[in-house]
Amino acid sequence: QLQLVQSGGGLVQPGGSLRLSCAASGFTLDDYAIEWFRQAPGKEREGVSCISSSGRVTNYPDSVKGRFTISRDNAKNTVYLQMHGLKPEDTAVYYCYAQITKWRYDYGTSYWGKGTQVTVSS
């Protein structure tokens, strides 16, 4: 089955850290750009990070800049979102999204992870 398998979510105290993982199953992520999104109850989905297929280009919105770091390990076919200085407002379901950005016959093919809950609370 072609899918993105997420892990690493859970409950953490304010100011704590958490690392989310997103591993591809059934395909390789080498040609995919990766984005992390989050969605809290009653709020619209928000992009929190993205990384190019090469890993050389990353972007973050102001809401997480300086606290979150996206990275990838193509050898492990996995991308990560390292989160530090977590705040209660970071509480949400976090999703990874992979899309082919390197030109090839199936350019634009994409997959969504099923999400993992991150709860920041005392």
Side-chain angles (χ1 to χ4, degrees):
Q1 184 178 3
L2 305 180
Q3 61 182 339
L4 297 175
V5 181
Q6 297 186 222
S7 62
L11 175 65
V12 65
Q13 295 182 351
S17 300
L18 209 59
R19 176 179 284 234
L20 306 183
S21 298
C22 178
S25 177
F27 67 101
T28 178
L29 286 174
D30 289 5
D31 293 340
Y32 290 74
I34 310 296
E35 296 178 78
W36 287 93
F37 296 87
R38 67 185 181 188
Q39 188 162 28
K43 299 178 65 177
E44 294 186 345
R45 186 176 61 201
E46 175 191 22
V48 296
S49 188
C50 60
I51 186 168
S52 63
S53 59
S54 69
R56 294 192 295 268
V57 180
T58 60
N59 284 289
Y60 308 89
D62 290 341
S63 59
V64 306
K65 192 173 298 180
R67 300 188 297 117
F68 290 11
T69 302
I70 189 171
S71 63
R72 65 190 303 154
D73 187 340
N74 286 351
K76 296 181 179 179
N77 212 24
T78 301
V79 297
Y80 305 95
L81 183 67
Q82 180 68 58
M83 304 181 292
H84 297 289
L86 285 165
K87 306 174 181 179
E89 51 263 44
D90 294 319
T91 296
V93 177
Y94 284 71
Y95 301 88
C96 61
Y97 172 76
Q99 182 178 49
I100 294 176
T101 54
K102 183 177 181 180
W103 186 256
R104 45 186 270 184
Y105 73 96
D106 53 351
Y107 178 87
T109 297
S110 62
Y111 299 92
W112 280 95
K114 293 183 178 180
T116 187
Q117 178 71 47
V118 172
T119 302
V120 185
S121 176
S122 298

